Amino acid sequence: MVAVSALLMSALISPDANAKPAYALTAGEGAAESLGYASEVPTFSWKLPESVKRQTAFQIEVRQENKTLWDSGWINSDQSTFVRFGGAPLTSRQHVQWRVRFRDENGHEQAWSPFAQLETGLLSAKDWKAQWIRPSQTAEAAEPVGYLRRQFTADKEISRARLYVTARGIFEMEINGQRVGSDHFANGFTVYDKRLDTLTYDVTKLLKRGENSVQGKLGTGWYAGRYPFGTKQIGPYGKDTGLLVQLEITYADGSSQTVASDGQWEGTYVGPIVSSSLYDGEIYDARRQSKDWAPVTATHELGEARLTPKPFAPVRETQTVTPVKISVTQSGGYIFDLGQNLVGWARVKIPVEANQSVTLRFAEMLKDDGTLYTENYRSAKSTDVYTAATSGEIVWEPRFTFHGFRYVELSGLPKNAKPQNDWVTGIVLHSDLPTIGSFDSSHAKLNQLQSNIVWGWRGNSLDIPTDCPQRDERAGWTGDAEVFCATALYNTDSHAFWKSWLGSLRDDQDADGGIPDFVPSAKHKGRAHSPGWMDAATIIPWDVYVRTGDVEVLAENFSMMEKLVGWYRGQTVDGLLPKIKGYGDWLQPYSKPAPGEHDWAGDKRGDTPPPLLGLAFYGRSAQILADSARVLGRNDDAKKYADEAATVRANFTRQYFDANGKMQNAPETQTGYVLAIAFNLIPAELKAKAGENLARLVAEAGGHLRTGFLGTPFLTAALDETGHADVAAQLLFQDSYPSWFYPIDQGATTMWERWNSYTRDRGFGDVAMNSFNHYAYGAIGQWMYERVAGLTPDAAQPGYKHFIVRPLIVSQLEHARAELDTPYGKASSAWKKQNGKVAIDVLVPPNTTATFESPDGAPAKILEPGPHHFEVATK
Ligand code: BGC
């Protein structure tokens, strides 16, 4: 009924019954926020309805109230993504509406879309009248929480109010006792001495005429907390936290008032949150009500860091998980099993006794005796403690910490309390990136693998891409991000997320062009200069460009890429890289380093020598640089770097391959072959032979991989490309160690750091490096989408303007399907074996084309937008 009347209504309102307006209007990159928009020159993207084949022209109109700021006029173009605003650059706080209309393939003009809204944040430091404030007392705890407040009067009717805020540390704001927004860790983790992200909130409804109060809580976070790993260091970016707030109120009569952080605020470190630490957890004492309020320490000096609106969605609670099992511990505590390894925290709803403390401990795994396995957290205590003021039931969750866990142990509860399922709820926290892809198949373990990949990414996309979310690390390890980025882009709209982190890479790049091992580097001095890690600076911009079509990501990062390639060049001796060290092919199973230069760090670095890895990644990065120069129209650079890449490839081939496509001057490894093939380092005529050798090594390993972080992501693709798709499939469906299915058979619900982080017969792996939530090996997800289901982007027409559908019909599956919300709308590829044939269904979004490469080897077909059905013979 509702639907029918809504339809009637719109028919009445709209004069054109066949109106097919554009939809999904977005400014900037996908998950960028439209309130607190970060750029003065927005770009505009929209999607066409599925019934449309092609856009032949568009018109964009941007308005501020009734004033037109920009009318593009009709532009004959099929461009429907990232169209740059042509009006005068926007200024801070500007609220604009924009809409678009288009002509379809027949030249028919379609109706205007509804207006989309956009409001800029404070675009430069000049907009800030506020001062940095913090409580003036000395805190007792190592990682204290500061409380800050200010009362003020708003004596007229309020028409609009915005709260602009950031912190040195992490904040939570309240107005009149109500929380502002629903974000966590919102200013996030950037290279704080270079850039601090600011947030914009619409707080019109939280204010009232008369007396108002603003309050802030300020945690240490990554800025002033214990970070990074392996040290007792507190406060890599500074010892003192700080809050910067500016509340701007516009009254109905047009006048305005600003309440900014300054010496008129009061602060204290005495309050219920005694301390809160990202690694160690939160200590909460409900008896400790705030007191000792005193004027704050306020600083006029804003500091060196750029103050710019956060360019992507903050961390939010995205789902909750309820326990599947409760068990009792020997000491009378309870362990709640959430059935899923996740990242966030536990919200508890429990009975408490006055003056008693309830302790919450977390773990990813249980030991054989049923107790928590926390050894792999290393020095991270990951423990929350709640002390009750009065007896009764409380609902509580922490604020400024997070944990990586599946199990929650509660101890210290009233003796006769009976455990209830709703005592513990798992709160899932991560950057709020929309899901855009799905993969599924007829194989339960393959589907579990997809689920583990997705959960691995959820847990490790908490504001920055991290290696792991639980031990005393949680760092933006560049290598892990480099291998996983493409898979992340299949599963979530993480375009703006990656662009932001690349900004941190630029901020953190060394003067000599090197990239720190993890970013933000938290001023960590150590540099491994590792091939495959540093190349996040080239590979990630390229991955983002290919999958979104956003040229800006190449422009922004071009000089960073140039400097990195220059770094490699500076290391060459006669065209080789003999001095290169680094993390090698990290965690390659059954590594047997020969005595010599590349075994200097034990068996974790694999058998492929760093000088070979260095040359491989130098070649790859130089080629990406050349390709980027070409896309950006920098023709001289394109030529220069293409020549450099060709020289590196020639040197690589001469040094490491003989005329039979067999490796020389280095131990023969799967990774050596994989990189030579996947990065096109060897000439076409050697590739097939190298593929034979790779397949032979896999066979010698009993159908198993022998690759680490750098080789594994491209292993199946390299085999497939050289005609060994069956071997690739054998590896994907392998279930003995080491393989993707092996951890699943041991109970994995996320990706593990090692294939044998835990085994049912031998227990836990080396505790020093044993994360149960490490996304790197999840990089296989890319091949599952691209090949098993068959949705492959085309770098020549990026952002899926054109893509290739090339499903691989494997003997292990009955059906497989992938769906992706591309910048042009939904694309899908699904295949199913039936009646001795394979039925293939493909959906091509409007304004794109696809090339169908039939699994039966028939000539390729160009597919126009819309659904397509094929039936082909199985080979
Ligand atoms: C991290 C890795 C990272 C590595 C560097 C580890 O501690 O967890 O995933 O890439 O160090 O080798």
Side-chain angles (χ1 to χ4, degrees):
M1 277 311 282
V2 175
V4 172
S5 56
L7 228 125
L8 276 174
M9 282 283 290
S10 69
L12 285 175
I13 294 166
S14 155
D16 177 1
N18 299 318
K20 285 183 288 189
Y23 72 103
L25 276 63
T26 43
E29 306 84 17
E33 305 280 283
S34 55
L35 176 62
Y37 189 76
S39 167
E40 55 183 25
V41 186
T43 59
F44 300 115
S45 307
W46 57 94
K47 289 175 183 164
L48 310 182
E50 273 186 15
S51 54
V52 171
K53 297 263 178 270
R54 207 155 300 286
Q55 172 186 292
T56 51
F58 69 85
Q59 180 179 14
I60 296 175
E61 190 193 26
V62 183
R63 282 194 200 169
Q64 183 165 16
E65 283 155 14
N66 293 324
K67 207 171 92 211
T68 301
L69 297 183
W70 182 50
D71 181 346
S72 71
W74 279 105
I75 296 181
N76 290 328
S77 164
D78 65 350
Q79 187 180 359
S80 58
T81 60
F82 311 116
V83 174
R84 271 173 86 85
F85 174 55
L90 299 181
T91 54
S92 297
R93 314 171 181 86
Q94 207 169 342
H95 189 111
V96 303
Q97 296 88 32
W98 70 279
R99 61 179 183 168
V100 63
R101 61 179 174 175
F102 67 96
R103 291 194 186 120
D104 67 13
E105 62 278 12
N106 301 315
H108 291 156
E109 192 173 305
Q110 304 298 319
W112 283 107
S113 70
F115 278 104
Q117 311 287 317
L118 165 70
E119 183 178 314
T120 50
L122 299 185
L123 297 176
S124 94
K126 289 200 288 290
D127 297 309
W128 289 87
K129 306 279 169 293
Q131 301 172 24
W132 283 107
I133 57 167
R134 62 185 153 89
S136 51
Q137 304 91 332
T138 309
E140 279 162 37
E143 294 201 56
V145 168
Y147 294 81
L148 297 147
R149 71 176 184 196
R150 162 99 153 83
Q151 316 276 340
F152 67 94
T153 315
D155 49 10
K156 288 180 278 188
E157 193 195 327
I158 297 165
S159 69
R160 164 188 142 133
R162 297 287 183 266
L163 184 91
Y164 303 98
V165 56
T166 189
R168 290 173 175 156
I170 36 182
F171 70 85
E172 218 184 80
M173 297 300 297
E174 280 181 10
I175 288 183
N176 297 323
Q178 288 202 57
R179 175 128 148 63
V180 174
S182 57
D183 306 336
H184 301 283
F185 316 97
N187 48 312
F189 190 9
T190 51
V191 181
Y192 292 124
D193 43 1
K194 300 264 179 69
R195 160 184 155 208
L196 269 166
D197 284 352
T198 62
L199 280 295
T200 305
Y201 294 100
D202 179 354
V203 294
T204 316
K205 296 215 173 81
L206 297 182
L207 290 167
K208 55 182 199 292
R209 196 172 179 157
E211 278 301 295
N212 287 277
S213 76
V214 203
Q215 287 219 327
K217 292 189 191 74
L218 184 57
T220 52
W222 300 275
Y223 183 97
R226 184 158 85 85
Y227 194 87
F229 64 92
T231 61
K232 294 241 173 326
Q233 170 178 288
I234 297 274
Y237 290 95
K239 284 196 308 299
D240 296 323
T241 51
L243 184 72
L244 193 72
V245 201
Q246 195 157 299
L247 171 60
E248 299 186 356
I249 305 168
T250 312
Y251 292 107
D253 67 4
S255 63
S256 61
Q257 180 183 359
T258 299
V259 179
S261 48
D262 60 17
Q264 297 183 66
W265 288 57
E266 299 183 300
T268 179
Y269 284 113
V270 182
I273 310 178
V274 179
S275 71
S276 196
S277 157
L278 293 176
Y279 287 160
D280 295 325
E282 190 157 307
I283 311 295
Y284 188 95
D285 188 339
R287 298 168 305 184
R288 242 173 65 121
Q289 287 316 311
S290 306
K291 59 173 183 156
D292 303 343
W293 292 95
V296 294
T297 302
T299 332
H300 282 275
E301 200 45 62
L302 281 180
E304 299 283 292
R306 303 187 302 278
L307 292 169
T308 41
K310 187 178 183 74
F312 68 104
V315 172
R316 299 196 179 108
E317 172 182 331
T318 58
Q319 56 179 306
T320 58
V321 179
T322 50
V324 293
K325 200 176 151 198
I326 307 174
S327 52
V328 183
T329 66
Q330 287 208 319
S331 49
Y334 304 99
I335 292 177
F336 291 75
D337 176 2
L338 295 171
Q340 173 63 52
N341 191 339
L342 60 91
V343 174
W345 56 53
R347 182 182 296 147
V348 290
K349 179 166 167 280
I350 43 171
V352 290
E353 249 169 64
N355 303 317
Q356 299 298 306
S357 299
V358 177
T359 302
L360 287 74
R361 292 171 65 233
F362 299 84
E364 294 180 289
M365 299 289 282
L366 294 184
K367 296 181 193 167
D368 285 349
D369 64 1
T371 59
L372 302 184
Y373 171 75
T374 57
E375 285 81 347
N376 68 329
Y377 285 178
R378 304 201 302 221
S379 78
K381 292 193 195 71
S382 249
T383 301
D384 297 339
V385 180
Y386 180 96
T387 304
T390 51
S391 302
E393 188 187 78
I394 55 121
V395 177
W396 180 80
E397 64 197 306
R399 289 276 172 271
F400 298 127
T401 186
F402 65 89
H403 311 289
F405 63 102
R406 167 173 168 171
Y407 301 93
V408 185
E409 183 197 81
L410 298 187
S411 57
L413 286 139
K415 290 262 158 349
N416 40 20
K418 280 232 170 55
Q420 307 291 326
N421 226 47
D422 67 354
W423 275 12
V424 170
T425 305
I427 304 298
V428 179
L429 300 173
H430 54 92
S431 293
D432 195 3
L433 309 174
T435 297
I436 53 168
S438 66
F439 171 92
D440 95 298
S441 73
S442 53
H443 201 293
K445 279 189 212 171
L446 193 61
N447 297 346
Q448 183 66 46
L449 176 59
Q450 169 65 12
S451 170
N452 293 1
I453 292 169
V454 168
W455 274 102
W457 173 234
R458 265 183 205 134
N460 286 295
S461 53
L462 198 141
D463 209 71
I464 58 160
T466 52
D467 58 333
C468 60
Q470 74 297 69
R471 67 178 176 223
D472 57 356
E473 197 143 5
R474 315 183 193 187
W477 279 97
T478 49
D480 306 48
E482 177 264 299
V483 300
F484 190 72
C485 174
T487 300
L489 286 159
Y490 268 111
N491 288 299
T492 55
D493 182 349
S494 42
H495 181 181
F497 175 97
W498 289 110
K499 265 181 115 171
S500 168
W501 187 67
L502 286 167
S504 292
L505 250 76
R506 297 195 297 276
D507 282 344
D508 249 347
Q509 184 170 33
D510 296 325
D512 67 359
I515 301 284
D517 300 4
F518 51 90
V519 172
S521 66
K523 302 198 173 168
H524 192 258
K525 294 275 182 294
R527 293 287 185 273
H529 288 132
S530 192
W533 271 253
M534 294 202 297
D535 308 271
T538 50
I539 292 175
I540 293 180
W542 188 252
D543 278 345
V544 172
Y545 165 72
V546 169
R547 286 167 173 74
T548 63
D550 175 14
V551 180
E552 199 182 270
V553 71
L554 299 181
E556 281 176 356
N557 295 298
F558 190 78
S559 102
M560 169 167 70
M561 299 188 201
E562 264 189 320
K563 284 190 255 169
L564 174 65
V565 170
W567 182 90
Y568 277 116
R569 192 184 311 124
Q571 301 293 314
T572 52
V573 179
D574 298 333
L576 302 179
L577 289 170
K579 294 179 295 192
I580 292 272
K581 295 204 184 319
Y583 297 111
D585 189 21
W586 190 243
L587 298 185
Q588 175 213 312
Y590 296 113
S591 169
K592 285 189 221 61
E597 59 178 332
H598 71 279
D599 73 341
W600 58 278
D603 67 355
K604 288 206 279 293
R605 298 181 196 227
D607 299 337
T608 311
L612 182 155
L613 295 170
L615 215 51
F617 279 90
Y618 175 22
R620 178 72 187 129
S621 281
Q623 187 58 50
I624 288 176
L625 179 60
D627 291 342
S628 303
R630 184 178 34 75
V631 171
L632 295 170
R634 306 171 67 126
N635 298 336
D636 294 347
D637 285 338
K639 163 97 180 62
K640 181 171 82 186
Y641 295 126
D643 289 348
E644 180 171 3
T647 305
V648 177
R649 286 195 293 267
N651 291 337
F652 180 92
T653 305
R654 190 175 337 103
Q655 176 70 8
Y656 294 114
F657 279 80
D658 69 14
N660 297 315
K662 192 163 184 296
M663 288 178 69
Q664 62 179 10
N665 296 325
E668 215 188 4
T669 59
Q670 291 186 10
T671 292
Y673 287 113
V674 167
L675 297 181
I677 296 165
F679 291 173
N680 289 313
L681 298 169
I682 50 175
E685 62 276 14
L686 286 191
K687 260 196 178 182
K689 293 176 184 165
E692 292 294 326
N693 287 315
L694 174 58
R696 171 177 51 80
L697 290 190
V698 173
E700 283 170 14
H704 289 101
L705 60 87
R706 291 286 185 271
T707 47
F709 270 33
L710 299 186
T712 309
F714 305 106
L715 173 59
T716 48
L719 285 162
D720 183 18
E721 186 189 333
T722 51
H724 304 281
D726 52 335
V727 181
Q730 179 191 17
L731 287 170
L732 177 59
F733 291 88
Q734 176 64 266
D735 38 30
S736 52
Y737 174 84
S739 67
W740 284 277
F741 285 178
Y742 187 72
I744 291 173
D745 286 338
Q746 318 304 314
T749 60
T750 33
M751 300 308 298
W752 292 354
E753 184 167 22
R754 298 168 188 262
W755 306 107
N756 58 355
S757 284
Y758 169 83
T759 68
R760 295 202 195 273
D761 41 337
R762 290 213 247 147
F764 292 102
D766 176 4
V767 71
M769 293 271 309
N770 207 23
S771 155
F772 289 88
N773 199 352
H774 231 76
Y775 56 48
Y777 289 141
I780 186 68
Q782 177 183 353
W783 197 68
M784 287 155 57
Y785 274 90
E786 285 188 4
R787 204 53 179 116
V788 179
L791 280 183
T792 311
D794 174 6
Q797 292 188 57
Y800 299 88
K801 182 73 178 143
H802 172 256
F803 59 100
I804 302 145
V805 179
R806 45 198 291 266
L808 179 68
I809 315 303
V810 295
S811 61
Q812 294 89 341
L813 292 178
E814 288 305 306
H815 58 84
R817 169 190 175 80
E819 202 174 282
L820 181 68
D821 195 6
T822 73
Y824 298 92
K826 197 200 292 171
S828 64
S829 170
W831 61 264
K832 192 182 174 77
K833 292 178 185 165
Q834 59 189 28
N835 311 325
K837 290 193 153 189
V838 183
I840 302 171
D841 284 290
V842 178
L843 181 63
V844 180
N847 217 16
T848 70
T849 52
T851 298
F852 177 60
E853 292 179 6
S854 182
D856 64 3
K861 281 196 189 65
I862 303 292
L863 308 182
E864 288 296 310
H868 301 269
H869 180 80
F870 304 95
E871 292 201 12
V872 301
T874 40
K875 271 192 278 176

